[in-house]
Amino acid sequence: MPVRVVTGLALLSTGVLAGAFGYGAVNVQTTFNAVPLDVRLTFHTTLMRMSGPVMQTAMALAILSTAALAGLSRGTARYLAGVAGLLAVASFLVTRFGNVPINGQIKVWAATTPPPDYRTILDRWEMFNVIRSLAALVAFLLIITLVARAMEAGRGDRHAEGVLAS
């Protein structure tokens, strides 16, 4: 039973993380580039303040659940969960050391004026956003693969759990 719960949590948390980052990369980032700069800066600052706790929680759950799943699994399942966990860590590190410092700059710009090279800095933020989004998406796809393999191996057997733990 614990393996099923941890697998479900890993599937859910990596899916939420990939979905949130993916929505941001496809829709929010595109919208940022379609509105006037002052609107983008105001919205960006507010969005980061509101989404910060949610995204930090999603990243933490993805990291912890994939690490727990890797610890409970064996063979290929352990490898898939471990790599998914490393990708979740990568999305956190890119966010923390790439996006967050730029968010701090954007907050200042929203209250004052952006520097002459603001476009280069915003492009860097967008690059970090794409990297963390892709890392989260691949982590989710790895957990989906792990679950699909367990289900396939468990077909005819009521407990696919043994595949993860063997």
Side-chain angles (χ1 to χ4, degrees):
M1 181 61 119
V3 173
R4 285 184 183 198
V5 171
V6 171
T7 302
L9 186 57
L11 187 60
L12 176 64
S13 62
T14 58
V16 166
L17 189 62
F21 277 147
Y23 180 84
V26 172
N27 294 303
V28 176
Q29 187 172 314
T30 306
T31 303
F32 279 167
N33 292 324
V35 299
L37 182 60
D38 63 322
V39 173
R40 177 196 177 141
L41 297 178
T42 301
F43 182 72
H44 189 119
T45 300
T46 304
L47 179 64
M48 295 310 113
R49 186 177 62 249
M50 302 305 248
S51 68
V54 173
M55 295 308 295
Q56 290 172 22
T57 301
M59 284 186 275
L61 286 173
I63 292 165
L64 294 173
S65 63
T66 54
L69 185 57
L72 293 171
S73 302
R74 303 286 177 258
T76 303
R78 174 176 276 175
Y79 174 77
L80 292 172
V83 173
L86 291 174
L87 287 166
V89 169
S91 74
F92 167 76
L93 293 173
V94 169
T95 299
R96 175 64 188 93
F97 296 108
N99 296 93
V100 169
I102 297 172
N103 289 343
Q105 291 177 301
I106 291 170
K107 183 178 179 181
V108 171
W109 303 346
T112 60
T113 335
D117 66 338
Y118 77 89
R119 185 70 248 167
T120 302
I121 297 167
L122 293 177
D123 288 344
R124 200 166 72 245
W125 185 94
E126 291 175 5
M127 176 197 61
F128 290 135
N129 193 46
V130 168
I131 291 168
R132 69 184 180 175
S133 298
L134 289 173
L137 175 62
V138 174
F140 181 45
L141 292 173
L142 290 173
I143 298 300
I144 289 172
T145 301
L146 183 153
V147 169
R149 288 173 53 94
M151 289 175 64
E152 184 63 31
R155 197 164 294 200
D157 177 3
R158 292 174 52 188
H159 301 287
E161 202 168 308
V163 172
L164 294 170
S166 61

